[in-house]
Amino acid sequence: MSIGNNKMAVYTESSVSSKRIRNANVVSTISSKKKTQIPRYTVTTIYLLYLGFALATARHSGASEMGTLGELVRILTLGPAYLLALAAIITRTNLTWQIITKCKIYLVFIVFSGLSVFWVVYPSKVLLHNAHDIGYFMVGIVLLIMLKERGSKFLFKHLAIASLAFIAVSIFVSIAMPSIGTFRLTRWQGVAGNPNTLGMFCVVCVWSLLMLYNLHTRFFAKLMCLFFLVVPFLALKGGKEVTSITSLLMSLLLCLTIPFFVTLSKGNSNARLIKFIFAFFLIIIGITSLVAFLPEVFNVDYILAKLGRDRTMTGRTRVWDMGWEIFNMKPWFGWGFDALLSVMHTLRFDISQFHNGYLDLAVRGGIIGFTILMLMIFVTYRGILKIIRQDSVFGWGLAAFATALLLHNMAEASIMRPTHLYWFTFVLVYLISCNYKWLFPRENKGMSNGAFR
């Protein structure tokens, strides 16, 4: 009997000891996770960044790129965002360095744009822009870590909330105070002072909500995403005229492409093949029907008239011809990254952009700057293709936004322009695509990364 009791006592004592060890391991794991996880307050960088984009683009003292008041607003709003990001990444130096080493092309761009201080008329402007480029990079690193540690739904939820808040305030101002909130009393511009800025926030909002819709599995969450999609489209349609035609087209493109490719990518290989064949024939039938019943939609003049444009793209072709001539004056290194101030000072005319992102960059950065952009685009899409293999929903969402942005730059200029929401979002997509191996470890290959979401 005593032997049995001794055995029972030893067993009980060992069970208690092993349980304590397991509990101690769990506690240490949780505490170490809390120590290494990025602080929750760093999500404030999103709201400060969006506030800076919203206020700094208001028209004053000429173009927003040059206004003294605009620089002050940027410092007061974007500065704290950069400082918060810096404070966050200092606590994660090893991980930050790992991310930085994967983004060499963007670092080359920062160095090249900074070197233009030696051949521009306004070097102080180059330094300011370079500071914003570095600040973007820091905020992007913080959001990338946040994406990994807290999931994609957490990140896109805050991106959607920030843009929805700005759009809601803009709608209220446009209706209640039309003298402030409308452009020439026809197009809504809200508190930003520019219809295109409002449209820009609408596009990012649509993208964020579509990403949330596809990432969520709960019906109510999906329903709320669809409900809030009404807000950006209301802002785009508001007023007597469309707020921003390019932004409306980008939003519609996102609404069509993201659900389309996400649906095609679901299921096994046979199911995907059947869906692809069905979609292909559906497109053929649609095009054939348009040719038969609405042949005018294939007429260039008809399409341009419906978009409120003409064959000169409302004077853009003349600006493009001028930009090409200016590019040929300094084809290799460009005029420098001082917001075209060197061009305006030398040639004595006022222009804030060339309404084509690629031409605009060629003028500022020459062939070298354009080559850096092409490499950046290549690396971005290469990473996105890798992500699609791991998580098709997330990957196709990134691909849709990147493509919409690059198409947008056929008529507007947002590429490599500091304090521009589109460019910052593209930098974020670039960072994600460069670090896809870290976001999606190899052991998850072929699986939908639920933990990541």
Side-chain angles (χ1 to χ4, degrees), residues 378-388 432-434 436:
F378 171 76
V379 170
T380 300
Y381 276 97
R382 184 186 64 181
I384 288 174
L385 289 175
K386 300 285 186 181
I387 293 173
I388 288 173
I432 294 170
S433 63
C434 287
Y436 68 90

Side-chain angles (χ1 to χ4, degrees), residues 38-195:
I38 198 164
R40 292 186 71 91
Y41 67 79
T42 51
V43 75
T44 312
T45 56
I46 296 175
Y47 297 92
L48 288 172
L49 207 67
Y50 275 42
L51 183 64
F53 292 142
L55 298 180
T57 48
R59 291 178 300 170
H60 40 63
S61 306
S64 61
E65 289 278 328
M66 297 176 287
T68 305
L69 181 59
E71 292 296 351
L72 178 62
V73 171
R74 291 185 183 108
I75 291 171
L76 293 176
T77 54
L78 298 178
Y82 299 157
L83 291 175
L84 274 177
L86 179 61
I89 63 178
I90 285 175
T91 63
R92 309 293 298 276
T93 51
N94 291 334
L95 181 55
T96 299
W97 179 249
Q98 175 187 332
I99 293 171
I100 290 174
T101 55
K102 300 291 184 182
C103 306
K104 298 181 182 68
I105 297 176
Y106 188 77
L107 296 178
V108 171
F109 159 67
I110 291 176
V111 172
F112 175 68
S113 63
L115 289 174
S116 68
V117 72
F118 295 107
W119 63 80
V120 298
V121 179
Y122 297 91
S124 60
K125 196 69 177 177
V126 174
L127 296 176
L128 279 171
H129 281 203
N130 221 226
H132 286 302
D133 292 327
I134 296 171
Y136 273 15
F137 196 44
M138 292 191 299
V139 175
I141 290 172
V142 168
L143 298 187
L144 184 66
I145 298 173
M146 194 182 301
L147 178 67
K148 173 67 173 180
E149 294 181 348
R150 303 196 181 278
S152 52
K153 284 186 286 192
F154 179 84
L155 175 62
F156 284 106
K157 178 183 72 175
H158 287 284
L159 291 177
I161 291 172
S163 51
L164 277 170
F166 171 75
I167 295 169
V169 173
S170 293
I171 291 174
F172 174 78
V173 172
S174 299
I175 296 173
M177 294 175 281
S179 59
I180 298 174
T182 58
F183 177 73
R184 297 176 183 173
L185 299 177
T186 57
R187 297 164 63 191
W188 284 4
Q189 62 186 14
V191 294
N194 191 310

Side-chain angles (χ1 to χ4, degrees), residues 17 83 146 288 359 362 368 391 440:
S17 299
L83 291 175
M146 194 182 301
T288 305
L359 177 61
I368 295 177
D391 191 323
F440 299 92

Side-chain angles (χ1 to χ4, degrees), residues 325-342:
E325 293 176 7
I326 296 171
F327 159 74
N328 284 308
M329 293 179 186
K330 295 184 178 182
W332 286 102
F333 294 95
W335 290 77
F337 293 85
D338 61 350
L340 299 177
L341 291 178
S342 293

Side-chain angles (χ1 to χ4, degrees), residues 66-321:
M66 297 176 287
T68 305
L69 181 59
E71 292 296 351
L72 178 62
V73 171
R74 291 185 183 108
I75 291 171
L76 293 176
T77 54
L78 298 178
Y82 299 157
L83 291 175
L84 274 177
L86 179 61
I89 63 178
I90 285 175
T91 63
R92 309 293 298 276
T93 51
N94 291 334
L95 181 55
T96 299
W97 179 249
Q98 175 187 332
I99 293 171
I100 290 174
T101 55
K102 300 291 184 182
C103 306
K104 298 181 182 68
I105 297 176
Y106 188 77
L107 296 178
V108 171
F109 159 67
I110 291 176
V111 172
F112 175 68
S113 63
L115 289 174
S116 68
V117 72
F118 295 107
W119 63 80
V120 298
V121 179
Y122 297 91
S124 60
K125 196 69 177 177
V126 174
L127 296 176
L128 279 171
H129 281 203
N130 221 226
H132 286 302
D133 292 327
I134 296 171
Y136 273 15
F137 196 44
M138 292 191 299
V139 175
I141 290 172
V142 168
L143 298 187
L144 184 66
I145 298 173
M146 194 182 301
L147 178 67
K148 173 67 173 180
E149 294 181 348
R150 303 196 181 278
S152 52
K153 284 186 286 192
F154 179 84
L155 175 62
F156 284 106
K157 178 183 72 175
H158 287 284
L159 291 177
I161 291 172
S163 51
L164 277 170
F166 171 75
I167 295 169
V169 173
S170 293
I171 291 174
F172 174 78
V173 172
S174 299
I175 296 173
M177 294 175 281
S179 59
I180 298 174
T182 58
F183 177 73
R184 297 176 183 173
L185 299 177
T186 57
R187 297 164 63 191
W188 284 4
Q189 62 186 14
V191 294
N194 191 310
N196 291 327
T197 302
L198 178 56
M200 179 172 60
F201 275 86
C202 291
V203 172
V204 175
C205 182
V206 168
W207 178 57
S208 303
L209 289 171
L210 287 173
M211 290 294 284
L212 281 173
Y213 174 83
N214 286 290
L215 292 169
H216 270 293
T217 55
R218 291 180 299 146
F219 174 76
F220 181 74
K222 287 179 173 289
L223 188 64
M224 292 303 295
C225 292
L226 293 176
F227 173 77
F228 283 114
L229 267 177
V230 176
V231 178
F233 279 103
L234 175 63
L236 287 170
K237 181 60 183 73
K240 297 178 181 178
E241 297 180 14
V242 175
T243 301
S244 174
I245 292 175
T246 53
S247 297
L248 179 60
L249 292 175
M250 285 182 68
S251 298
L252 292 173
L253 178 64
L254 291 172
C255 288
L256 291 172
T257 54
I258 293 179
F260 177 77
F261 286 108
V262 167
T263 303
L264 282 183
S265 62
K266 290 180 178 179
N268 56 34
S269 57
N270 292 330
R272 290 197 297 268
L273 179 61
I274 292 171
K275 289 178 184 178
F276 178 79
I277 295 172
F278 177 76
F280 176 77
F281 280 106
L282 198 64
I283 291 171
I284 295 297
I285 292 171
I287 294 173
T288 305
S289 301
L290 287 174
V291 171
F293 301 105
L294 292 172
E296 61 271 14
V297 299
F298 296 96
N299 184 284
V300 176
D301 292 325
Y302 175 83
I303 295 173
L304 291 172
K306 287 294 182 182
L307 295 175
R309 301 284 190 265
D310 52 30
R311 282 189 175 268
T312 67
M313 295 293 290
T314 59
R316 280 175 170 79
T317 54
R318 184 174 62 85
V319 175
W320 295 341
D321 291 337

